[in-house]
């Protein structure tokens, strides 16, 4: 297929039978049972933002990948026919004096599969953009039920100067590390890199940062952004596509576009790796999703089965929210082309990073 929008992933006639009519995000992984699990943010049963039953996060389970249309078969949680909030809390706000727990909403960052478990990193907010803490939940039944990993799996909102709020992560079986990229939830920061052993995912003290100190990069340092300073990022996607091939990207807020780098390693030089932009933002009057121009876009999660150097070979989940009317507010499945630059000779880095 050509590059561009393939199909709406959510919305009327797609996911409203699960009470998922208006929603966004949609980071996805293949579960241990082979099904595709996708996690969504603020979700409403009504036809637009703010109408009907509000839950976040919710998850849907089905099949599909970069080459095949995603179709959801059931909701996560105790009721397969209705997407309940994955865990209980009350959506609080200032009108109550923040007296009902103080959490406005919990937004999912990303899913991680390691062995027979799936991990969900989630962002706990007290009003929009005000992150109190983030936390990790675990599923041992292919995404149906979720358990909080405990106090040590809670990360302060100001960790790493606020750069460790919105995550994406993947496991490298070749070296046994889980690599985490992170940025702030305000879309005004670069990306940092951390790593942890799988058995220590729920222990925040065991995460090590990649940093530039005394003229060289290394682990166990104060974190240094790995992306060029002009770049400001939102939602992230970080996936090991195959041995020696990783994709780092997502919503590049500073360019109002979806941007990606294809690299050989999590510690590859992002300054010298070309940035590829397969989907761009536009005005509502000028949008053409079939031509990869999308109004009020964000997200940009890489789908399993993505292939490089092929037209339409890369699958992306792209969000769109028309904030003045509350609809469209949806996730969409896109196809795109990315060059495999992981093995390409890179130009000399002029600033020795």
């Amino acid at each position: 297929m050509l590059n561009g929008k393939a199909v709406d992933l959510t919305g009327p006639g797609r996911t409203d039978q699960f009470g998922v009519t208006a929603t966004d995000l949609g980071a996805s992984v293949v579960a241990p049972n082979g099904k595709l699990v996708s996690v969504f943010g603020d979700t409403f049963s009504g036809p637009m933002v703010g109408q009907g039953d509000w839950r976040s996060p919710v998850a849907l389970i089905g099949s599909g990948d970069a080459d095949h249309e995603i179709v959801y078969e059931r909701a996560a949680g105790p009721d397969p026919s209705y997407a309940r909030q994955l865990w209980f809390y009350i959506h609080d706000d200032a009108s109550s004096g923040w007296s009902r727990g103080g959490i406005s909403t919990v937004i999912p960052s990303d899913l991680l599969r390691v062995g027979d478990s799936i991990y969900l990193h989630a962002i706990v907010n007290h009003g929009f953009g005000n992150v109190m803490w983030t936390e990790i939940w675990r599923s041992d039944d292919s995404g149906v039920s979720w358990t909080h990993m405990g106090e040590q799996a809670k990360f302060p909102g100001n960790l790493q100067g606020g750069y460790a709020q919105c995550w994406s992560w993947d496991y490298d079986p070749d070296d046994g590390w889980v690599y985490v990229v992170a940025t702030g939830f305000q879309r005004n920061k670069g990306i940092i890199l951390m790593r942890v052993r799988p058995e220590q995912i729920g222990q925040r003290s065991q995460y090590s940062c990649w940093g530039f100190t005394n003229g060289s990069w290394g682990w166990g340092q104060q974190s240094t952004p790995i992306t060029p300073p002009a770049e400001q990022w939102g939602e992230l996607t970080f996936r090991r596509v195959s041995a020696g091939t990783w994709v780092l990207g997502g919503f590049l807020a500073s360019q109002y576009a979806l941007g990606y780098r294809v690299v050989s390693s999590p510690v590859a030089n992002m300054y010298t790796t070309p940035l590829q932009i397969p989907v761009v933002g536009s005005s509502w009057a000028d949008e053409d999703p079939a031509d990869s121009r999308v109004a009020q876009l964000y997200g940009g999660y890489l789908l399993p089965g993505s292939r490089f150097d092929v037209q339409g070979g890369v699958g992306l989940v792209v969000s769109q929210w028309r904030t003045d009317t509350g609809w469209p507010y949806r996730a969409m499945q896109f196809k795109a082309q990315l060059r495999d630059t992981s093995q390409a000779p890179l130009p000399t880095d002029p600033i020795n990073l």
Side-chain angles (χ1 to χ4, degrees), residues 22 43-54:
T43 297
F44 303 90
S45 58
M48 64 182 65
V49 171
Q51 292 195 1
D53 185 18
W54 177 16

Side-chain angles (χ1 to χ4, degrees), residues 28 76 139-140 223-224 228 264 292 312:
S28 303
S139 173
D140 294 320
S223 63
T224 305
S264 60
S292 302

Side-chain angles (χ1 to χ4, degrees), residues 33-207:
N33 66 358
K35 294 295 185 180
L36 187 78
V37 179
S38 302
V39 64
F40 298 95
D42 288 319
T43 297
F44 303 90
S45 58
M48 64 182 65
V49 171
Q51 292 195 1
D53 185 18
W54 177 16
R55 300 93 72 210
S56 184
V58 303
L60 297 175
I61 300 169
S63 61
D65 57 21
D67 281 331
H68 302 89
E69 180 180 326
I70 294 169
V71 177
Y72 295 113
E73 302 158 3
R74 64 157 294 167
D79 183 352
S81 65
Y82 190 83
R84 302 192 184 281
Q85 196 165 273
L86 293 182
W87 53 86
F88 175 79
Y89 69 92
I90 296 170
H91 292 269
D92 203 357
D93 58 39
S95 68
S96 75
W98 296 103
S99 62
R100 298 180 297 169
I103 297 172
S104 55
T105 194
V106 178
I107 302 296
S109 277
D110 193 20
L111 297 167
L112 164 72
R113 155 98 183 274
V114 181
D116 291 331
S117 298
I118 305 176
Y119 301 88
L120 167 59
H121 179 261
I123 307 165
V124 180
N125 295 278
H126 178 82
F128 187 77
N130 181 22
V131 176
M132 294 192 290
W133 70 84
T134 70
E135 59 190 21
I136 299 173
W137 293 70
R138 174 174 168 166
S139 173
D140 294 320
D141 56 8
S142 289
V144 174
S145 64
W146 295 85
T147 303
H148 194 282
M149 294 191 70
E151 282 299 311
Q152 289 303 309
K154 293 174 68 173
F155 300 76
N158 62 1
L159 183 67
Q160 300 298 325
Y163 278 75
Q165 295 177 349
C166 184
W167 293 17
S168 185
W169 45 354
D170 208 353
Y171 173 60
D172 189 349
D174 296 327
D175 65 12
W177 290 99
V178 170
Y179 290 94
V180 182
V181 292
T183 189
F185 195 51
Q186 302 77 25
R187 298 177 172 171
N188 62 1
K189 296 179 180 68
I191 298 172
I192 64 168
L193 176 67
M194 303 179 286
R195 71 178 184 181
V196 68
R197 292 295 188 188
E199 61 272 17
Q200 297 172 331
I201 284 172
Q203 301 173 43
R204 65 172 177 261
S205 63
Q206 299 304 307
Y207 285 70

